[in-house]
Amino acid sequence: MNIYFQGTNQRTFGTFPLTGEELRNAMVHAAEVGYRSFDTAQMYGNEEETGSALAELGFKRDEICITTKVHPDNFTAEAFLLSVEESLKKLQLDYVDVLLLHWPPADGDIAPSLKLLEKAHEAGLARNIGVSNYTAKMMRDATQIIETPIVTNQVEFHPLLNQDILLAAASETGIPLSSYCSVARGEVFKHAIFAEIGAAYQKSAAQVVLRWILQKGVSINTMSTKRANIEANFDVMDFTLSNIDMARIDAMTQTGFRIVTSDLVPWAPDWD
């Protein structure tokens, strides 16, 4: 079963780029709204503050799903497990629910980091393991490199970018996708179609976008510091987009708007 489709985990609260009191307040609001899944990363520099907020919230361990990601700088035999142990110390946890490789290695050889990820799982540091920003070929190759199930590939996923190749790879490999930049950092709001469709369901443009992602079988990561937006992003389970509306939104993927380009992230792989 997809861990992100258990309970309320299909809606994860992302913490990037929040820090300090802004992060703490946002996590408190998210918890009050109903979020129980939280996403951080070594690269974000906020694991310690995320851990402090979680401790303050006082959830039982089995009530929450915590995801963090290993920085590519730590993809060495000397650094990998030590970095995960440091992440756990900062998060004040004995294990994370999902441990991801944040990026494919720059040299393109995914085997060493995947095997280190599997060791972290075998050591009990992570209940589940996954990857982020993998291409379709990397997804297929990964299933041949390690035996431990890969529970997600977290990628940029929104209605302005065609990710059909990754969706096909997810179906082929059994590695589910999870989304980041789920509303394309606000770019979707420049297109009237989402608000137009939302009016028929008494939902906002953002809620329509998030519902479309979920109906594609992809879990969502969203972040906001505004309580109203945090609540609205969570409130997407009480309606279903029609096949006609899904198809209308599918057509928007031809827009080809990608945020995480090689200009922004020079170490990004050649995207599908």
Side-chain angles (χ1 to χ4, degrees), residues 62-200:
D62 61 1
E63 293 178 334
I64 54 175
C65 177
I66 307 302
T67 299
T68 196
K69 312 175 195 74
V70 181
H71 196 297
D73 287 351
N74 293 320
F75 288 1
T76 66
E78 296 76 21
F80 196 98
L81 293 181
L82 288 175
S83 79
V84 177
E85 290 170 351
E86 181 63 20
S87 290
L88 294 179
K89 181 179 178 181
K90 290 177 178 179
L91 290 166
Q92 302 181 41
L93 299 174
D94 294 327
Y95 64 89
V96 288
D97 298 274
V98 188
L99 181 67
L100 307 182
L101 301 175
H102 205 150
W103 286 91
D107 64 7
D109 183 4
I110 63 174
S113 54
L114 280 168
K115 290 176 180 177
L116 289 167
L117 183 67
E118 188 170 50
K119 285 185 178 180
H121 175 263
E122 292 169 349
L125 305 180
R127 290 285 175 88
N128 301 275
I129 57 174
V131 297
S132 188
N133 298 302
Y134 267 36
T135 64
K137 183 181 185 302
M138 290 173 179
M139 291 171 70
R140 290 190 293 269
D141 289 347
T143 62
Q144 304 302 310
I145 293 170
I146 60 174
E147 295 183 0
T148 305
I150 298 169
V151 301
T152 196
N153 180 18
Q154 188 182 112
V155 296
E156 180 177 345
F157 196 100
H158 51 73
L160 304 182
L161 178 65
N162 190 317
Q163 292 286 35
D164 285 349
I165 292 175
L166 285 183
L167 283 170
S171 179
E172 176 187 343
T173 62
I175 300 174
L177 301 182
S178 57
S179 74
Y180 66 78
C181 296
S182 302
V183 295
R185 294 187 180 171
E187 185 72 16
V188 296
F189 304 128
K190 297 178 181 179
H191 299 268
I193 184 174
F194 302 110
E196 177 189 330
I197 290 174

Side-chain angles (χ1 to χ4, degrees), residues 170 218 235 248 267:
V218 178
D235 185 24
R248 292 178 66 195
W267 60 85

